[in-house]
Amino acid sequence: MQRVRITHPRTEAVRRMPTRPTSHEIDEQTQVGAVYMDSLIRSQRRLAVMVCLTITAVLVGTALLGALVPRFAQLRLLGVPLPWVVLGVLVYPVLIMLAAYTVRKAERNEHAFTELVRQR
Amino acid sequence: MSGQGAAVVAVVLVAVATMGAGVFGLRRARTTSDFYVASRAVSPRWNATAIGGEYLSAASYLGIAGLILAYGYDVLWYPVGYTAGYLVLLALVAAPLRRSGAYTLPDFAEIRLGSSIVRRMASGLVVLIGWLYLVPQLQGASLTLATQTAAPHWLGGLVVCTVVLTAVAVGGMRSITFAQAMQFWLKFLALLVPALVLLIVWEHRDAGLGQGYPTAPERTVVSLATDTTARLPVAESLAVEGRVDGVRVHGPIALAAGTHQFEKGSVVTLERGDVVPVITSLPAQRNESWLRPLGSGKDHPLYASLSLILAICLGTMGLPHVLVRFYTNPDGRDTRRTTLIVIVALSSFYLLPTVFGAIGRAFVPDLLLTGNTDATVLLLPQRLIGGEAGVLLSALVTAGAFAAFLSTASGLTVSVAGVLSQDVLGRRLPGSQRAQRIRMFQLGAVVAIGVPYLLSLPSEHLGLAAVVGLAFAIAAATFCPLLVLGVWWPRLTDVGAMAGLLVGGLLATAAVLVTMIAGPARGWSGALLEQPAAWAVPLTFVVMIGVSILTRSRVPADVGRVMIRLHAPESLAEELRSLDRSAL
């Protein structure tokens, strides 16, 4: 076995080596650039998938509740059958809240990406 | 007669206001880009109300209430789906599509895949979906005018065609943005005011729906314009002038439970409390069952509900008139914010048709006999309120209805005309001077709305909302996979896209045609054909992904650059040369 000495090159020359801006890496589609883009696309895709799964859970859940739980149909709220209140009124605020969350989160992902690209 | 007069005045006012907005917009439409997409410089709030105005069609305004009257709870999925569709669009494609810089769906296909064949297939689908969506708008217009006045059944559609073509000819898209935003508010108020009045009156009368089958709330005279086969759920004695089951009748007749033939021209007088016969194309349901989930009387209601939700949620992003409107936002971030406001606007609007449908079950159940349930919204104000107030509210509702036909029809006409003039007519004009391009666009507009007008003339039709549902199903089975994979999956190839569009488009269209021509079939085959989304959408995804993997050598060379443009935020525009549009 051979001993190898590893030292940190504490020279000014290395420190002053011109760094390439991240935006160039992305523009030229180098591997580094691809890693950056991948991180953005992956974070946005995760958000998209999560929102779609939540919508599915809410809507399919409501449909199955109506189909499988007979008691659900017999409940009343202010004289109106509960299923009508849920699907005619209450779903909409849920959709709006999900939409607001999506917009905020997507903008935050983009902001983080912008910061990351400008960092160096 | 005063009711008719008020309705005519309402229609004329809406038509003139729409054309006026077109002329107003003309002074601003300077460039071709102005003409097509209002130069992409409209603020999110204006744009959102314009999108809402354009999206709320005859199906939303008239159709949903009518279907609720006939089928009950299960129909509530339509408006929920129409709204959730925008949420799916927001989450999956809104900002990247805007950033792609394309004007139309075919543009996106070409930018992403660099294939003129995929582009042309997308163009064909835009025209198909646009026409399928336009037919019910024009039928709705004809129905409204014929219901509210003594107009012949072809006139309403013709009025819509004329107004739309005039507005499009003089103003292009910018004018339409103004008109659409205005029409959103008109539609919203035109349902909100009568809905509030109806709720108060209903509360006051303390008339619940009650148990059992729908009964006439008061003496109602029903004239049958066509031969009608109706089902009486229980034995009932009705006063009829005309011919029933082939026998000449003149006065009260005892009818057994079961189906009966009423000859064209017969007049049925329903007395208060008479059980209403229901045309055989609609289910004769007890009110208890009508109120219950899955009580619509259709076969396999759970499958039908879920498949319908899927079609509407995923189809929204593939509607030609929806996407072109997003390109009028300045950037991807504004596009998202616009979509959020659209969802708020739609959520407020869709509370209203339910009110009309439910009250309609109690007060205009005679529509179950004629099958003309799409007229629920139009008839309720006069029937329940009456007098001057009833006339005024009825005129308001008619104005809102015409706003719905005009806004959706003009949006669709612009989109379809854009595709026709670029991909069909414009190809022959290599020079493409501005004036010539605009003339091609106008010619495209005539074709875009003329063909569906001719198709709308035969009088039989499925419910307005049901036909629109079929358009959604085709959009979901074709454009949804193309857009979602195009935005998120770099390995999509042109051949994969072609195969998917072909399979999804052909199967969904075939299912739609069978349903429209042969009428709804019973059993599983009927359910699968009537609601094709649940099997057609996954199939298209599988085909697109599978064929793309098999043809992986054909992944476009510039896909990396396109992906950067689709996803990188505009705030990096100064640093990132890839976002520079002039480089295109």
Side-chain angles (χ1 to χ4, degrees), chain B residues 561 577-578 580-584:
Chain B
R561 197 177 139 76
R577 270 179 293 118
S578 306
D580 189 357
R581 301 206 178 281
S582 57
L584 287 171

Side-chain angles (χ1 to χ4, degrees), chain A residues 2 7 17 32 42-43 60 68 70 75 85 99:
Chain A
Q2 194 187 355
T7 54
M17 203 168 75
V32 177
R42 207 169 297 155
S43 67
V60 173
L68 304 177
L75 299 175
V85 180

Side-chain angles (χ1 to χ4, degrees), chain B residues 253-316:
Chain B
I253 174 177
L255 294 172
T259 56
H260 299 279
Q261 315 262 354
F262 296 85
E263 198 171 277
K264 175 179 177 174
S266 300
V267 176
V268 181
T269 305
L270 299 165
E271 296 294 339
R272 184 190 159 91
D274 279 355
V275 170
V276 180
V278 180
I279 192 166
T280 43
S281 54
L282 298 176
Q285 296 288 96
R286 286 175 168 274
N287 284 336
E288 306 88 282
S289 148
W290 174 89
L291 275 173
R292 249 198 339 257
L294 309 183
S296 64
K298 289 192 175 181
D299 287 346
H300 307 289
L302 183 61
Y303 166 80
S305 292
L306 292 176
S307 186
L308 177 76
I309 301 168
L310 193 72
I312 298 182
C313 283
L314 300 181
T316 305

Side-chain angles (χ1 to χ4, degrees), chain B residues 73-86:
Chain B
Y73 175 84
D74 289 355
V75 178
L76 296 179
W77 286 112
Y78 275 93
V80 170
Y82 290 152
T83 313
Y86 270 95

Side-chain angles (χ1 to χ4, degrees), chain A residues 16-83:
Chain A
R16 278 210 230 107
M17 203 168 75
T19 53
R20 283 157 45 81
T22 312
S23 57
H24 287 199
E25 304 277 358
I26 294 174
D27 272 335
E28 284 153 31
Q29 296 177 40
T30 60
Q31 282 187 333
V32 177
V35 169
Y36 274 94
M37 275 317 292
D38 248 24
S39 76
L40 170 68
I41 294 177
R42 207 169 297 155
S43 67
Q44 299 289 48
R45 187 164 44 203
R46 204 178 308 127
L47 171 66
V49 168
M50 208 194 63
V51 171
C52 287
L53 286 179
T54 315
I55 304 170
T56 313
V58 169
L59 297 187
V60 173
T62 311
L64 290 181
L65 198 63
L68 304 177
V69 186
R71 249 192 77 66
F72 175 57
Q74 285 154 14
L75 299 175
R76 282 177 177 251
L77 190 76
L78 302 172
V80 182
L82 191 59

Side-chain angles (χ1 to χ4, degrees), chain B residues 212-428:
Chain B
Y213 295 99
T215 56
E218 60 193 8
R219 188 189 162 92
T220 316
V221 180
V222 186
S223 309
L224 297 171
T226 55
D227 288 337
T228 305
T229 309
R231 181 186 313 270
L232 254 180
V234 294
E236 183 66 85
S237 151
L238 299 173
V240 184
E241 298 283 328
R243 212 173 254 280
V244 181
D245 298 329
V247 182
R248 177 110 212 121
V249 183
H250 195 71
I253 174 177
L255 294 172
T259 56
H260 299 279
Q261 315 262 354
F262 296 85
E263 198 171 277
K264 175 179 177 174
S266 300
V267 176
V268 181
T269 305
L270 299 165
E271 296 294 339
R272 184 190 159 91
D274 279 355
V275 170
V276 180
V278 180
I279 192 166
T280 43
S281 54
L282 298 176
Q285 296 288 96
R286 286 175 168 274
N287 284 336
E288 306 88 282
S289 148
W290 174 89
L291 275 173
R292 249 198 339 257
L294 309 183
S296 64
K298 289 192 175 181
D299 287 346
H300 307 289
L302 183 61
Y303 166 80
S305 292
L306 292 176
S307 186
L308 177 76
I309 301 168
L310 193 72
I312 298 182
C313 283
L314 300 181
T316 305
M317 70 177 74
L319 295 181
H321 64 307
V322 166
L323 272 181
V324 79
R325 178 57 71 192
F326 276 96
Y327 298 132
T328 56
N329 283 300
D331 58 33
R333 187 164 148 273
D334 266 9
T335 304
R336 280 199 210 100
R337 296 184 169 195
T338 299
T339 316
L340 171 60
I341 306 174
V342 171
I343 293 172
V344 175
L346 293 182
S347 296
S348 327
F349 179 87
Y350 282 130
L351 300 175
L352 304 173
T354 312
V355 173
F356 282 86
I359 298 183
R361 180 89 173 175
F363 286 94
V364 286
D366 48 293
L367 293 178
L368 292 169
L369 172 54
T370 57
N372 195 10
T373 51
D374 286 326
T376 307
V377 169
L378 300 168
L379 290 177
L380 255 185
Q382 253 176 330
R383 203 61 86 69
L384 197 53
I385 297 155
E388 286 295 305
V391 169
L392 280 178
L393 286 178
S394 181
L396 182 63
V397 166
T398 308
F402 261 82
F405 313 138
L406 286 175
S407 53
T408 304
S410 57
L412 285 164
T413 305
V414 167
S415 313
V416 175
V419 165
L420 282 177
S421 66
Q422 276 186 354
D423 290 339
V424 183
L425 307 166
R427 299 252 150 195
R428 296 183 200 129

Side-chain angles (χ1 to χ4, degrees), chain B residues 52-103:
Chain B
E54 188 165 347
Y55 189 60
L56 296 173
S57 66
S60 298
Y61 193 89
L62 300 178
I64 293 172
L67 286 182
I68 289 179
L69 187 157
Y71 295 98
Y73 175 84
D74 289 355
V75 178
L76 296 179
W77 286 112
Y78 275 93
V80 170
Y82 290 152
T83 313
Y86 270 95
L87 184 49
V88 174
L89 181 128
L90 168 67
L92 285 175
V93 294
L97 269 180
R98 173 62 195 88
R99 287 173 178 149
S100 72
Y103 282 130

